[in-house]
Amino acid sequence: MNADSRCDAVARERHRTLDFIGLRAHATTVGLIQLCEELLNAGVLKPDGLERIKGAIRSELTVCNARISNQPSFDSTLRRRIDSIFPQAPGQPPKEQVGSLEEFEDALGGYHGA
């Protein structure tokens, strides 16, 4: 079993656990975003740590959306969307603006929920 397979297996198991205990709430996400901002501003969280957090989120969203994750624009659209809601490291320029909700829906190509 290679490292990617182990990582995918871990991500799938984490997804099942999160789904089972119901940690899909917007309030949880908002809390995580605020926590990241506080830790960045305090110098406790480094930018590369934030990137690993966002990578874990992307991995989870890819696992739970396997049907659409193979679409060419899915990864780049998802990455831009996640970047747009998370804070930037102090002194870093803002990330590029993301498109409209309609553009995001177009990138999902007919996906209508889990």
Side-chain angles (χ1 to χ4, degrees):
M1 180 178 261
N2 66 30
D4 287 339
S5 297
R6 282 191 305 270
C7 183
D8 289 346
V10 169
R12 281 192 296 278
E13 182 58 31
R14 183 178 51 234
H15 171 75
R16 284 191 291 270
T17 301
L18 291 172
D19 196 41
F20 178 72
I21 61 176
L23 287 178
R24 295 268 180 224
H26 291 156
T28 303
T29 303
V30 169
L32 174 63
I33 292 167
Q34 183 64 40
L35 177 62
C36 288
E37 183 172 354
E38 297 292 334
L39 293 174
L40 278 170
N41 289 337
V44 175
L45 179 63
K46 293 181 174 25
D48 57 329
L50 179 61
E51 290 304 314
R52 288 190 297 275
I53 291 168
K54 293 188 301 186
I57 293 168
R58 280 192 302 274
S59 174
E60 169 59 18
L61 291 172
T62 299
V63 166
C64 72
N65 294 309
R67 188 177 71 188
I68 60 170
S69 64
N70 291 328
Q71 294 184 13
S73 61
F74 179 78
D75 187 59
S76 63
T77 301
L78 180 59
R79 185 178 305 273
R80 285 188 4 248
R81 288 285 171 168
I82 291 172
D83 284 347
S84 74
I85 62 170
F86 272 84
Q88 301 302 306
Q92 295 292 317
K95 294 283 185 181
E96 68 180 85
Q97 289 282 38
V98 295
S100 67
L101 179 58
E102 290 78 24
E103 291 170 326
F104 186 59
E105 289 171 345
D106 288 344
L108 297 179
Y111 176 74
H112 299 291

